[in-house]
């Protein structure tokens, strides 16, 4: 008889040893398997999807039945914030638990240090830019949950490698990686119908998309990679981070059949909506896999967007920003307030809550969910919000939340108040967000002392960075 690869005779002392080995193996397997109380984690992150793009967040145009079902049967947050108004610093906050005044990466491009590389702009022209990247000493979500025996995988978008090929996810805590990095793939391949893709450190080709053929859409490829990972790890606890590109520009999808009846919509509007709906369809595929494998009750699914909708998005036509002020790249609500949905059958109740939470919270939260608190770094800027997932309470609103684009924009949220400036050298604006979520009434002149206090608090909540020095910075 074989137990864990060894042949054991089933007689005498050997039989007793066999029974003991079987018991030990069973105990080890039980300890390794996910449970409702120690679940698998599937974190799905959309790219540049606005707060108002989902029907469950009020959209009247875009079809998102699978995400809506997650919200209807789970907990959705109405005051959830991304780590920043653009991709790299937002994802850095999510992955490391630090706000954008303390994180390694604080803007898509850095001002000093880092590495230079080629950036292809939406119109196809190129520029040389400088980027920072996560370092080996940076603790990531994967590093933390890995200490609890979870198998970890990142699919598709990482955006924390700068131009360092050795800063890919599989070099920053993740066991597996399937997707693209800034330096290796994204600068050489079409965004949504790629021919190049990384499997770990190996560059592979999507043969169907050779010669710029539009056969396999990247949303489908990424979902296939995610589903394959789930199948391989159905008997192990796992953390899957699925970072879709959709609906980031350029809005490139050939199938817009969901919206072809809207003759008054522009082609750009149809493609944007189709990218969101196509992503929703593939999320349905992934959820169906969890159901088919009997993993759904042992898996917590989290859905969010990395920041608000971009300026090229059909903000007015589809109400992508839900009427919020600002957009991607700004620290107004439209740039940083994002949908957040948490779902786990039998554990996460169906409710909508207004607790103030943000991306830095996921480092301590996933540590609590997976039993990996010992892997937490000494300093994080977030708090464990997992009680909110399961119908409990957490005092999230008495603390201060901070964002910055170094030397350019700053924002702080405390309870009902938010102070923000989106122009270099401009005075702080003050809004009572509880009554004015669209930031229409600047109350700075009415509460000068509060503005002063929030200004001082912001300087206390950040540290200098060699990659982002700026004139006038307080040391």
């Amino acid at each position: 008889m074989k137990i864990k690869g060894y042949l054991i005779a089933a007689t005498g002392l050997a039989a007793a040893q066999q029974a003991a080995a079987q018991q030990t193996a069973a105990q080890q397997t039980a300890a390794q398997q996910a449970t409702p109380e120690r679940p698998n984690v599937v974190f799905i992150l959309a790219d540049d999807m606005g707060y108002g793009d989902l029907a469950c967040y009020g959209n009247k145009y875009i079809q998102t039945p699978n995400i809506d079902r997650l919200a209807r049967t789970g907990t959705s947050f109405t005051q959830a914030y991304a780590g920043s108004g653009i991709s790299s610093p937002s994802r850095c906050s999510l992955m490391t638990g630090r706000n954008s005044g303390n994180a390694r990466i604080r803007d898509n491009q850095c001002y000093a240090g880092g590495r230079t590389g080629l950036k292809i702009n939406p119109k196809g022209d190129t520029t040389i830019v400088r980027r920072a990247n996560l370092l080996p000493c940076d603790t990531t979500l994967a590093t933390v949950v890995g200490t609890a025996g979870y198998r970890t995988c990142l699919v598709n978008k990482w955006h924390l490698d700068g131009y360092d090929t050795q800063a890919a996810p599989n070099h920053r805590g993740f066991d597996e990686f399937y997707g693209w990095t800034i330096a290796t793939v994204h600068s050489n391949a079409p965004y949504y119908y790629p021919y190049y893709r990384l499997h770990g450190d190996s560059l592979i080709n999507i043969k169907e998309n050779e010669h710029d053929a539009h056969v396999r859409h990247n949303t489908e490829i990424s979902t296939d990679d995610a589903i394959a990972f789930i199948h391989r790890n159905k008997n192990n606890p796992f953390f899957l981070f699925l970072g879709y590109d959709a609906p980031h520009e350029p809005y490139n999808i050939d199938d817009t059949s969901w919206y072809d009846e809207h003759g008054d919509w522009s082609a750009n509007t149809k493609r944007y909506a189709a990218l969101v709906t196509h992503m929703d369809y593939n999320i349905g595929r992934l959820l169906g896999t969890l159901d088919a494998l009997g993993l759904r009750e042992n898996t917590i699914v989290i859905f969010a967007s990395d920041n608000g909708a971009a300026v090229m998005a059909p903000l007015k036509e589809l109400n992508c920003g839900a009427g919020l002020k600002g957009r991607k790249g700004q620290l107004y609500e439209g740039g940083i307030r994002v949908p957040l949905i948490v779902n786990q059958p039998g554990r996460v109740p169906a409710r909508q809550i207004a607790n103030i939470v943000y991306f830095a919270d996921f480092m301590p939260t996933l540590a609590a969910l997976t039993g990996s608190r010992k892997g937490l770094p000494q300093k994080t800027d977030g708090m464990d919000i997992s009680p909110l997932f399961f119908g409990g309470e957490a005092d999230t609103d008495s603390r201060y939340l901070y964002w910055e684009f170094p030397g350019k924009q700053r924002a702080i949220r405390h309870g009902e108040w938010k102070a923000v400036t989106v122009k270099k050298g401009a005075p702080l604006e003050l809004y009572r967000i509880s009554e004015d979520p669209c930031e229409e009434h600047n109350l700075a002149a009415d509460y000068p002392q509060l503005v002063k206090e929030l200004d001082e608090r912001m300087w206390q909540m950040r540290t200098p960075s060699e990659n982002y020095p700026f004139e006038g910075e307080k040391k």
Side-chain angles (χ1 to χ4, degrees):
M1 181 175 184
K2 288 186 176 181
I3 297 178
K4 300 184 74 173
Y6 292 96
L7 183 64
I8 300 178
T11 57
L13 180 59
Q17 292 173 334
Q18 172 188 339
Q22 287 176 322
Q23 183 178 9
T24 300
Q27 290 172 342
Q28 289 176 343
T29 300
Q32 291 173 355
Q33 290 178 334
T35 66
E37 293 74 27
R38 185 173 173 266
N40 302 311
V41 179
V42 174
F43 199 117
I44 305 171
L45 192 67
D47 196 351
D48 286 7
M49 192 185 74
Y51 181 79
D53 274 335
L54 302 173
C56 53
Y57 277 80
N59 195 283
K60 298 179 180 179
Y61 308 101
I62 303 177
Q63 303 169 32
T64 52
N66 294 297
I67 300 173
D68 294 342
R69 190 177 304 112
L70 287 176
R72 187 171 60 251
T73 61
T75 293
S76 57
F77 292 75
T78 60
Q79 295 195 89
Y81 290 96
S84 181
I86 55 176
S87 186
S88 289
S90 186
R91 292 163 192 266
C92 187
S93 178
L94 175 60
M95 281 290 165
T96 66
R98 306 308 304 270
N99 69 42
S100 52
N102 293 316
R104 179 75 61 192
I105 301 172
R106 307 183 184 190
D107 203 339
N108 273 3
Q109 299 174 26
C110 63
Y111 314 157
R115 298 191 181 195
T116 58
L118 188 68
K119 174 181 172 61
I120 299 180
N121 300 309
K123 294 183 179 180
D125 56 325
T126 61
T127 54
I128 299 295
V129 300
R130 184 180 298 276
R131 294 180 184 267
N133 57 267
L134 287 187
L135 300 179
C137 59
D138 293 318
T139 301
T140 66
L141 287 176
T143 309
V144 171
V145 301
T147 64
Y150 277 62
R151 184 74 178 174
T152 60
C153 177
L154 188 140
V155 173
N156 200 51
K157 184 170 181 176
W158 170 238
H159 227 248
L160 301 177
D161 56 292
Y163 292 106
D164 184 354
T165 58
Q166 293 302 301
N170 52 311
H171 295 280
R172 296 295 182 266
F174 284 92
D175 297 312
E176 300 182 37
F177 166 52
Y178 308 93
W180 58 270
T181 60
I182 294 170
T184 308
V185 179
H186 186 45
S187 61
N188 297 299
Y191 202 74
Y192 281 114
Y193 294 94
Y195 178 56
Y196 299 94
R197 194 166 176 84
L198 284 169
H199 286 188
D201 290 330
S202 299
L203 192 63
I204 61 105
N205 297 131
I206 309 298
K207 291 293 185 181
E208 299 92 329
N209 292 339
E210 192 172 12
H211 305 304
D212 200 27
H214 286 195
V215 177
R216 295 189 67 197
H217 196 275
N218 197 42
T219 298
E220 298 168 357
I221 297 170
S222 299
T223 306
D224 289 346
D225 288 337
I227 288 173
F229 172 79
I230 292 172
H231 274 282
R232 290 194 302 273
N233 290 277
K234 61 185 178 181
N235 295 321
N236 309 308
F238 61 79
F239 168 45
L240 168 64
F241 188 92
L242 175 53
Y244 285 119
D245 291 326
H248 192 290
E249 61 189 38
Y251 306 133
N252 194 350
I253 182 169
D254 293 344
D255 182 7
T256 60
S257 57
W258 298 279
Y259 303 104
D260 286 344
E261 63 184 29
H262 294 278
D264 57 332
W265 286 14
S266 69
N268 187 68
T269 298
K270 291 179 183 179
R271 287 192 293 264
Y272 182 91
L275 282 168
V276 176
T277 299
H278 184 235
M279 175 177 62
D280 178 88
Y281 168 79
N282 279 278
I283 289 173
R285 291 177 55 213
L286 187 145
L287 295 174
T289 298
L290 293 173
D291 287 333
L293 295 176
L295 299 176
R296 193 64 187 86
E297 293 184 356
N298 290 353
T299 303
I300 190 165
V301 176
I302 302 169
F303 177 87
S305 177
D306 68 339
N307 47 249
V311 66
M312 290 182 64
L315 294 168
K316 294 182 179 179
E317 296 90 336
L318 300 183
N319 196 30
C320 303
L324 298 175
K325 185 176 183 178
R327 52 172 172 74
K328 173 186 176 178
Q330 296 179 325
L331 297 182
Y332 287 129
E333 293 292 285
I336 57 175
R337 190 184 291 207
V338 294
L340 173 62
I341 301 166
V342 179
N343 188 289
Q344 185 185 359
R347 294 205 72 209
V348 175
R351 63 174 185 163
Q352 186 179 82
I353 58 177
N355 292 74
I356 303 170
V357 300
Y358 75 146
F359 276 10
D361 293 330
F362 281 105
M363 176 69 83
T365 298
L366 293 194
L369 287 174
T370 60
S372 54
R373 291 181 182 271
K374 67 179 182 180
L376 276 173
Q378 290 184 341
K379 292 183 179 180
T380 66
D381 294 314
M383 64 177 290
D384 176 11
I385 61 172
S386 61
L388 297 174
F389 296 173
F390 308 116
E393 299 295 330
D395 181 16
T396 60
D397 298 0
S398 64
R399 60 186 175 146
Y400 295 84
L401 277 61
Y402 176 69
W403 302 263
E404 71 172 43
F405 289 111
K408 302 174 182 177
Q409 301 185 43
R410 296 187 297 154
I412 189 169
R413 179 78 196 269
H414 179 234
E416 63 181 347
W417 295 103
K418 179 183 175 184
V420 59
T421 179
V422 299
K423 294 181 180 180
K424 182 178 180 179
L428 287 172
E429 303 164 21
L430 181 69
Y431 300 98
R432 184 180 270 120
I433 296 296
S434 58
E435 299 177 3
D436 182 22
C438 295
E439 297 168 301
E440 296 177 319
H441 307 290
N442 181 6
L443 302 176
D446 298 330
Y447 298 92
Q449 184 58 36
L450 178 58
V451 172
K452 181 180 179 181
E453 292 172 1
L454 292 175
D455 182 29
E456 287 299 319
R457 176 71 66 165
M458 282 194 275
W459 285 111
Q460 296 169 12
M461 295 186 70
R462 69 174 310 278
T463 53
S465 166
E466 62 181 11
N467 294 125
Y468 302 92
F470 59 89
E471 184 180 354
E473 181 176 24
K474 292 185 179 182
K475 302 297 184 180

